[in-house]
Amino acid sequence: GGDKGPGERAVALTQTSVNATMLEYISSHGTEPVTMCYVYNSSGALVSIDYDTLKANSGVDPFELTNGANQTDPTVLALAEQSFAGAFRAAGGLPEGIPINQLPSVVALGLHSDSAVTYTLLCSTFQICGITYEGFANATAVNAAQPTGSGATPWYFTFTCDLANVPVDPNGDLPADVRSQMNSLLHTVGEGAFSIQQLLLDLDTMVLAAPPPISGISDSSTFGPIWTMMSEVFTGAYFAQLRESGSCLLYTSPSPRD
């Protein structure tokens, strides 16, 4: 963006091309499932607990809760005795059964080159469960999974973040389409007229703008606050996993040298 001086050339980076690349990348680079569980401690504060430890202590699997079951259900009772609050399990990737043309833009570019972008996190699978407590004797289970299939509305997390530009060796191992575009430009603008850069999501600048609304969970007066907390923790765990795997490439393209 912005005015260019004499002799400078700009190569456009369109939102359409970015999203086409992102969807292709996500379709073959899903993340391993992230599972987080929470209980209330003796002070009534939410604390995390290892999934296997929770199962061992309770003798049941929280993800097998029956939605709407109460304290008379053995699974609800066993988890309530452990002061179980909630749990989620999610894996990054394309939502199951949703046609590509029904998915939102993964990345929405800002108005200027230095503007923050909007990033929409897609999950191939997502399940959330928990127990709401009313008084001393009433407990109700909640258990929901991300909708699937054409026409369904998956659960989308929306973030704002910055992009980082990282120079790439033009003689290095480049994707075939980038190599083809670079060779084409060599014939029109000449040697040394452009550089190759990667645009990376700057994960350190990620800010959760909106967790997905989930009927009966995010709008629940008792479970809603737990969901808000869990959704923030989940996204932190998800991006921490991306950092460890190095899976944060957004797009690679030729760009002009100043």
Side-chain angles (χ1 to χ4, degrees), residues 31-189:
T31 66
E32 292 297 316
V34 174
T35 302
M36 302 289 289
C37 303
Y38 301 89
V39 296
Y40 294 104
N41 65 13
S42 57
S43 301
L46 282 172
V47 294
S48 62
I49 182 173
D50 178 72
Y51 173 51
D52 291 330
T53 300
L54 176 62
K55 289 195 297 181
N57 291 347
S58 64
V60 299
D61 187 336
F63 293 102
E64 295 180 358
L65 280 167
T66 299
N67 188 52
N70 62 22
Q71 68 278 358
T72 63
D73 181 272
T75 301
V76 175
L77 181 59
L79 289 167
E81 289 176 344
Q82 300 300 317
S83 300
F84 175 66
F88 63 78
R89 176 185 289 154
L94 297 185
E96 293 182 356
I98 308 297
I100 292 291
N101 61 5
Q102 292 182 12
L103 295 175
S105 295
V106 179
V107 174
L109 301 176
L111 295 177
H112 308 288
S113 59
D114 58 351
S115 298
V117 302
T118 299
Y119 174 65
T120 299
L121 171 61
L122 307 179
C123 292
S124 58
T125 59
F126 202 116
Q127 182 180 0
I128 180 172
C129 61
I131 296 178
T132 62
Y133 300 94
E134 297 180 14
F136 295 99
N138 297 318
T140 304
V142 291
N143 196 344
Q146 175 174 266
T148 61
S150 181
T153 302
W155 301 342
Y156 301 129
F157 292 85
T158 304
F159 301 84
T160 58
C161 65
D162 295 331
L163 294 179
N165 297 329
V166 180
V168 176
D169 181 2
N171 298 314
D173 184 19
L174 297 172
D177 54 346
V178 174
R179 174 67 66 185
S180 175
Q181 187 177 7
M182 184 183 73
N183 291 337
S184 176
L185 284 173
L186 284 174
H187 294 293
T188 58
V189 299

Side-chain angles (χ1 to χ4, degrees), residues 16-30:
T16 299
S17 64
V18 168
N19 281 292
T21 301
M22 285 296 291
L23 289 172
E24 180 180 357
Y25 180 78
I26 293 171
S27 68
S28 58
H29 291 78

